[in-house]
Amino acid sequence: MAGSLTIYHNPSCSKSREAKNYLDQEATTKGFQLEVIEYLKDSPSPEQIKQILGFLVEGKGDGEDEQAVYGKFLRNNSGVSTTQEVLESLGEHCANMQRPIVVNWAANKAVVCRK
């Protein structure tokens, strides 16, 4: 497996640490690059957030609507149903972003790694 992945990581979050450790091992074994972004220090741009949301919406499961996808992206979604509302929520508190989120930019895919 060649290429690279990006993980939006919060070292204070146990799920994020677990995902990062797993991906570090996989990167070594399978030979891909892992970019680690501590999103509380280096927040994704609005354009990156829009791209990630687009990847999540495209990859959504059967019976899942966009609002459910937005709910997965935000920790405290409180009825968020549009990309603009997601951006506004993250603009107020970047910590509202769910973590970890893993993105394969080349394949146009993203996954919220919470379960």
Side-chain angles (χ1 to χ4, degrees):
M1 173 181 189
S4 66
L5 297 177
T6 300
I7 181 171
Y8 287 92
H9 174 60
N10 178 350
S12 298
C13 170
S14 64
K15 294 292 184 192
S16 192
R17 288 191 309 270
E18 289 173 21
K20 182 187 172 297
N21 289 339
Y22 174 79
L23 290 171
D24 280 337
Q25 291 173 0
E26 288 293 300
T28 300
T29 303
K30 296 183 178 173
F32 64 86
Q33 296 290 320
L34 179 63
E35 178 184 18
V36 178
I37 297 176
E38 291 186 28
Y39 68 90
L40 293 176
K41 294 179 183 176
D42 187 16
S43 301
S45 70
E47 292 77 23
Q48 289 170 319
I49 292 168
K50 287 177 187 176
Q51 272 189 296
I52 295 167
L53 286 172
F55 297 164
L56 290 170
V57 167
E58 286 178 24
K60 70 184 186 302
D62 289 339
E64 200 173 35
D65 61 11
E66 284 188 32
Q67 187 170 357
V69 171
Y70 295 149
K72 284 183 183 178
F73 190 81
L74 293 174
R75 294 178 65 210
N76 303 313
N77 63 4
S78 61
V80 170
S81 61
T82 68
T83 300
Q84 187 59 38
E85 290 173 338
V86 171
L87 292 171
E88 288 170 6
S89 176
L90 293 177
E92 293 170 12
H93 305 285
C94 191
N96 283 343
M97 189 168 100
Q98 192 62 267
R99 75 266 180 206
I101 295 175
V102 178
V103 181
N104 181 332
W105 298 101
N108 297 333
K109 294 186 182 215
V111 177
V112 177
C113 304
R114 286 298 296 173
K115 296 185 181 192

